[in-house]
Amino acid sequence: MTAPLKHSDPIRVDVALGDRAYDIVIGRDVLQSLGTRIAALRPGVRTAIVTDRNVARHWLAPTEAALAQAGIASSAIVVDEGEGSKTYAGLEKISEALIAARIERNDLVVALGGGVVGDLAGFAAAILRRGVDFVQVPTSLLAQVDSSVGGKTGINSPQGKNLLGAFHQPVLVIADTAVLDTLSPRQFRAGYAEVAKYGVLGDAAFFAWLEANHDDVFKGGAAREHAIATSCRAKAAIVARDERETGERALLNLGHTFGHALEAATGFSDRLFHGEGVAVGMVLAAQFSAELGMIPASDAMRIAHHLAAVGLPTHLQDIAGFAQEGLADADALMALMAQDKKVKRGRLTFILLEAMGRAVITGDVEPGRVRDFLQAKLADST
């Protein structure tokens, strides 16, 4: 697998969902084309841009300008950054603001931000007037390769992550790789965990390519666009086959059963970004797969080595405040995992590995074995 040596024209990835199909447009400076693309999709439309304070400082004005140049009226709704906005209160704020802005069924909501804004704005659009279309303009790597694609929207409950929401597909995704230049190194690393996930779960050649080319992905070379496009194609293909996660789409949750529990244990705070939780969770899933005899221990070590090489946490002990009650307690983590959306009849569903690049859905793992595994990892200081 090779990447292009220079930046190319925008890459289009089709999410094939029949009459609800849409394009993901990937490339540097494609944000400038937002207005013309929306005007082609929805002539005469009005828009409301939902964003957060951090993103607004960099990208609200260019987004408004791109819309205005195409003659599209817009209003802006700005929320606080972070998971703290992905709540009942955050949903109420955005919903009421959209109603006040007189956004109608034939108008569009524009989600300008990372995964939190995309999930929150998308859910508000899904329930506003029983359904208003929306456009995703993801501004984080994590959102560009994962949360902006596939129509999952929602908010968190105090009892768990993403427990309230709806499937509501966007009508367009604009993934401008230039906006990633304003991310902090930690935010970019967190998003990279989701990129690596696609290689681990379904494309061993892509994972090997990432091992060789991750420096260029981080530096913003053409490898970045290639990695994003490859990730989006992988997710789009799975979503087209299993939109509502009745089967294969659950594979995309590799690392998330562990990771979401760790996020909940840290209070959905900046102690652990979502992608960091996925990184630790993916390593735990690989190690657990090795313990069950499904993959060689060397494969689990290879995954952990690559994630650590780019600066991601790979051990429970790497998480800030690890020793605090709830995070360093196997029973507490098990209780949080029991709230996972993939639980069926009280039994956890795990995404495990049977080979590098081949994940499987497993629903017959004994809880006691999971608890013993976690207890051993909590005690492991290596």
Side-chain angles (χ1 to χ4, degrees):
M1 178 182 285
T2 59
L5 297 178
K6 60 183 179 179
H7 297 291
S8 60
D9 292 334
I11 302 166
R12 288 178 55 177
V13 175
D14 176 48
V15 184
L17 290 169
D19 60 0
R20 291 175 297 105
Y22 55 93
D23 286 337
I24 308 165
V25 182
I26 304 159
R28 288 194 74 83
D29 301 318
V30 292
L31 179 60
Q32 297 171 10
S33 69
L34 176 66
T36 56
R37 294 179 190 277
I38 286 179
L41 283 173
R42 296 287 194 279
V45 76
R46 291 186 305 166
T47 62
I49 304 165
V50 179
T51 190
D52 69 39
R53 297 187 193 284
N54 281 343
V55 173
R57 283 199 291 270
H58 297 287
W59 300 112
L60 179 56
T63 301
E64 291 173 325
L67 294 169
Q69 286 167 8
I72 298 172
S74 65
S75 56
I77 302 166
V78 182
V79 300
D80 291 334
E81 61 275 4
E83 293 279 341
S85 287
K86 205 170 135 180
T87 60
Y88 290 105
L91 179 64
E92 179 183 17
K93 175 180 178 178
I94 289 178
S95 299
E96 292 297 329
L98 290 172
I99 294 169
R102 300 187 182 277
I103 295 299
E104 300 173 356
R105 280 187 175 178
N106 57 340
D107 292 327
L108 284 175
V109 175
V110 176
L112 174 68
V116 167
V117 165
D119 285 0
L120 185 55
F123 190 26
I127 60 176
L128 177 66
R129 307 188 194 278
R130 296 191 175 93
V132 171
D133 285 338
F134 80 117
V135 172
Q136 289 272 21
V137 184
T139 60
S140 69
L141 177 60
L142 189 149
Q144 290 191 359
V145 301
D146 186 61
S147 60
S148 69
V149 179
K152 281 187 177 181
T153 71
I155 61 173
N156 301 329
S157 158
Q159 299 183 65
K161 189 175 177 70
N162 296 331
L163 292 180
L164 300 136
F167 286 96
H168 188 52
Q169 298 292 343
V171 296
L172 175 68
V173 180
I174 298 290
D176 189 333
T177 57
V179 308
L180 304 181
D181 296 341
T182 61
L183 294 180
S184 71
R186 183 185 175 194
Q187 288 171 320
F188 193 90
R189 286 195 300 269
Y192 183 84
E194 294 279 5
V195 175
K197 179 193 75 176
Y198 290 105
V200 173
L201 74 86
D203 191 340
F206 180 47
F207 187 79
W209 180 87
L210 289 171
E211 289 176 307
N213 294 278
H214 63 84
D215 280 347
D216 195 38
V217 174
F218 276 76
K219 290 175 182 175
R224 177 179 292 182
E225 290 153 36
H226 179 73
I228 292 169
T230 301
S231 300
C232 287
R233 288 191 192 100
K235 181 161 189 180
I238 291 175
V239 168
R241 293 191 295 266
D242 180 23
E243 180 182 1
R244 292 183 172 263
E245 201 173 299
T246 59
E248 180 186 6
R249 185 168 176 173
L251 294 173
L252 296 171
N253 288 304
L254 175 66
H256 287 59
T257 300
F258 290 114
H260 282 171
L262 295 172
E263 286 184 82
T266 52
F268 302 116
S269 69
D270 60 6
R271 287 169 54 197
L272 185 71
F273 288 171
H274 173 68
E276 294 170 336
V278 170
V280 177
M282 192 159 35
V283 171
L284 289 172
Q287 292 172 335
F288 191 48
S289 300
E291 183 170 296
L292 295 175
M294 298 173 65
I295 61 170
S298 57
D299 281 353
M301 291 175 62
R302 180 181 169 193
I303 293 165
H305 176 78
H306 178 59
L307 296 176
V310 301
L312 282 161
T314 56
H315 294 81
L316 291 167
Q317 292 80 0
D318 294 337
I319 300 170
F322 164 77
Q324 293 182 15
E325 184 178 355
L327 186 56
D329 182 286
D331 289 325
L333 290 176
M334 289 294 293
L336 291 169
M337 290 166 69
Q339 289 287 2
D340 187 89
K341 298 186 302 300
K342 297 182 295 303
V343 170
K344 295 181 180 178
R345 299 287 188 265
R347 293 188 68 86
L348 282 168
T349 298
F350 282 92
I351 314 304
L352 300 176
L353 299 175
E354 60 180 14
M356 178 65 79
R358 191 162 70 246
V360 293
I361 303 166
T362 307
D364 57 357
V365 179
E366 288 298 324
R369 188 149 193 184
V370 180
R371 187 199 176 282
D372 290 346
F373 168 76
L374 281 172
Q375 192 63 54
K377 291 301 169 184
L378 288 165
D380 185 5
S381 61
T382 60

